[in-house]
Each structure stands twice: as C-alpha cells, then as structure tokens.
Amino acid sequence: MSKISRDILLESINGLLKDSKTNKRGFTETVELQIGLKNYDPSKDKRFSGTVKLNHIPRPKLSVCVIGDALHCDQAKEAGIEFRSIDDLKKFNKNKKIIKGFSKQYDAFLASESLIKQIPRILGPALNKVGKFPTVINHGDNLNAKIEEVRATIKFQLKKVLCLGVAIGHVNMTPDQLLQNIVLAINFLVSLLKKNWQNV
C-alpha cells in the first residue's frame, strides 16, 4: 500500500462518514470505491477478473438464494434462508422472462455441488449473463458461514470502461474497518494489473 497515504485515506473516510451523518438518509448508505485505470487499453490489453474476500462485510443485506439438493434445502429451511430445489427451477419451463425475473430477485446464489452442472441446462445462460453464477456449496459447509463469505466478497472485472466501482463498506462501519477493506481491495486490484501501480 506504498502509493496511498494512510493519513490521507483516513481523512477522506472521516469526511465521508461526517457527511453521511449531516445528510442522513432513510437507509444505510453503501460506501463505494471508485478507481480509474490509466495506461490500459481494454481493446488490446488482457481483460481481468478477480474476487477477494474483505475483512468486514460491505453489504450485510445482500440477498442470497440457495439452489439445493434435499439436504441443503432442509438446512436452508431450518435456517430461514431462501431456497429453491432443482424441481422448482424446472417449473420455469425455460421461460426466459420468468428466469430473468428469478435472477433479478436475488443478489447472489449458492448451489449444491451435485446440481451445479444442471443449472445452465435448466436456466440457460441467464445467471452467468448477470454475473450471478452460483457459488458451490458442499455438504460439509455451514450455510450461514458461506452466505457471510459471499456477502464479504467483492469482484473486480475490467469490461470496456476504465473506471471500476465496488462496494467496500457502509456508513455504519468504523473508519478503521473501512480503511482495512479499502487497503485490501486496492492491493488486490493492483496485483491483477499488468503494470501494478503504474496503471492506477
């Protein structure tokens, strides 16, 4: 994190948190990290994609649905987590409109390992298109812990524009928690770039 001063970052974070208290909204505001890339040509340079788990959950209200086998559906039901069985998905009858609505209903999906290969056959490319292809869960996994992991994970993906934005926290976090998340996110992004800090 040599290129960005910790003091300048903390000053910016404290200013942001102060503003959020002055102009209080009726919901918990998300803090987004925006980074502009330089010396990068998306049409020539290799596009990158990578995910990193932050120390503190940036989006605690992220809605998650489990696409589960019998065991995972039972566990989800017991834990009060939204779930669908493979038979529920088959009822969509490959109707694109219904599948699109289903994909918009949740922010992320988890799916049993035994079902992961069936999902594209039943739903088509819909979840992939919106960047919500399910995260795999095994029978040994704790569903709640897995959901917390999904909520703590952010994704950097270069498409056609050189400005990247990711949620790295919310205004109810402490300045130190936001700082830890920002430092981790920036260092991870820099590791993905061709010329590291020269591209930021």
Side-chain angles (χ1 to χ4, degrees), residues 60-191:
K61 291 189 174 170
L62 192 87
S63 61
V64 180
C65 178
V66 172
I67 298 170
D69 56 19
L71 180 74
H72 282 138
C73 284
D74 287 344
Q75 286 175 346
K77 191 176 182 181
E78 219 169 277
I81 299 162
E82 294 269 338
F83 67 92
R84 296 282 190 285
S85 70
I86 209 80
D87 287 337
D88 292 331
L89 302 190
K90 283 177 181 170
K91 285 175 192 163
F92 296 162
N93 216 7
K94 295 193 177 176
N95 181 318
K96 284 181 184 172
K97 202 172 176 184
I98 296 172
I99 293 168
K100 193 177 176 185
F102 172 65
S103 70
K104 280 184 176 175
Q105 211 175 332
Y106 303 97
D107 298 313
F109 294 89
L110 296 175
S112 305
E113 189 183 24
S114 57
L115 305 177
I116 206 86
K117 285 181 181 167
Q118 296 179 50
I119 292 167
R121 282 205 304 268
I122 295 166
L123 297 181
L127 296 183
N128 230 354
K129 270 184 186 171
V130 290
K132 295 181 188 176
F133 194 76
T135 300
V136 177
I137 41 172
N138 299 302
H139 283 169
D141 291 335
N142 175 313
L143 278 189
N144 280 318
K146 204 77 182 169
I147 286 172
E148 294 300 278
E149 193 180 305
V150 167
R151 286 177 175 153
T153 301
I154 59 166
K155 183 177 188 176
F156 284 108
Q157 187 170 16
L158 180 68
K159 292 187 177 171
K160 288 176 184 172
V161 290
L162 291 176
C163 185
L164 301 172
V166 288
I168 50 94
H170 53 81
V171 293
N172 292 340
M173 281 181 165
T174 66
D176 198 50
Q177 287 174 329
L178 283 169
L179 181 74
Q180 285 177 34
N181 277 2
I182 290 168
V183 170
L184 186 63
I186 292 174
N187 283 339
F188 176 73
L189 173 64
V190 167
S191 75

Side-chain angles (χ1 to χ4, degrees), residues 49-65:
S49 175
T51 57
V52 61
K53 184 176 178 240
L54 300 178
N55 295 335
H56 308 283
I57 293 173
R59 297 163 298 172
K61 291 189 174 170
L62 192 87
S63 61
V64 180
C65 178

